[in-house]
Amino acid sequence: MAATQTQRHGTAPMSGPQAQAPAGPAGPVGPISPAGPTAPAGPADRRPDMAAALRPLLIDVGIPVGTYYLLRDAFGVSLWLSLALSSIGPAVRAIAGLMAERKLNVLAVLMLAVNLAGIAVSFLTGDPRAMIAKDSVVSSVIAFAILGSVLLRRPLMSAGLKPFMTKGEPQRTAAWDRLATASPRFRRLELLFSTIWGLALLAECAARLVGAYTLPVTTMVWLGTVMTLGAIGVAIVAGGAAAGPLQKMIDAETAAA
């Protein structure tokens, strides 16, 4: 009779070790089986998508260069006007960011001001080299801001490095905070990371400024982009000298907690 009732409910009677094993208590991700709790999603599932992380850079670089070549080659617009109009994209993007965030973004305001100033200079002077040279102002101001933060011992690049290192995990975030407070070596590595980025951007600024007045304008239009991407690549690779040890310290601190 019992078997008939069990089958009527659509389940089969249990036998063997499973029938004798008591049901485990409910855990945060479901019932805990005798073999252990169901594993939660790993850190890799919460890592930001690389394409999404690079999308702003691709937009900021791709739109101005693409606009320049489209206007100059497809529509026959003059060289200086093509350069001026290609700066409108980053300006619109900066305004949209300010409106969406509803708070003052110093970097966005800086880039907007530089782009608007560059457009004004281009229309007033008609000098395409001035338009190319003004891009170095962005790199130099950012570079000096980063290096200045190092001197003040408030490394600017840590704001972006911390989320990447901690992956949004509370334990890793707490480990970062403890190390940043109590470990002189951790603080030195933080400062080193920002120093590397500041020097890389400063070198890119100097190279772009020299190229703007010594190389053909048509060459600098694409070479300037290569310089920017190259500086970022160098900073990423060289920054590993600080980021690698920082990662190991966070791992060890998290495991010890």
Side-chain angles (χ1 to χ4, degrees), residues 45-122:
D45 298 334
R46 295 191 292 268
R47 290 180 182 175
D49 181 63
M50 184 60 69
L54 293 178
R55 191 177 296 120
L57 177 62
L58 296 177
I59 293 175
D60 290 335
V61 172
I63 288 180
V65 175
T67 301
Y68 166 80
Y69 281 111
L70 181 65
L71 292 173
R72 194 196 68 175
D73 297 336
F75 295 98
V77 178
S78 66
L79 182 64
W80 71 268
L81 185 56
S82 297
L83 284 169
L85 295 177
S86 69
S87 294
I88 295 177
V92 171
R93 179 169 166 77
I95 294 175
L98 288 174
M99 295 177 63
E101 295 178 5
R102 296 186 179 276
K103 64 180 181 180
L104 181 63
N105 185 318
V106 177
L107 180 57
V109 171
L110 171 64
M111 296 187 69
L112 174 60
V114 171
N115 275 312
L116 293 178
I119 293 172
V121 169
S122 178

Side-chain angles (χ1 to χ4, degrees), residues 140-157:
S140 66
V141 172
I142 296 174
F144 283 123
I146 294 174
L147 294 175
S149 72
V150 172
L151 293 177
L152 295 175
R153 304 191 69 79
R154 299 175 61 89
L156 195 60
M157 293 302 295

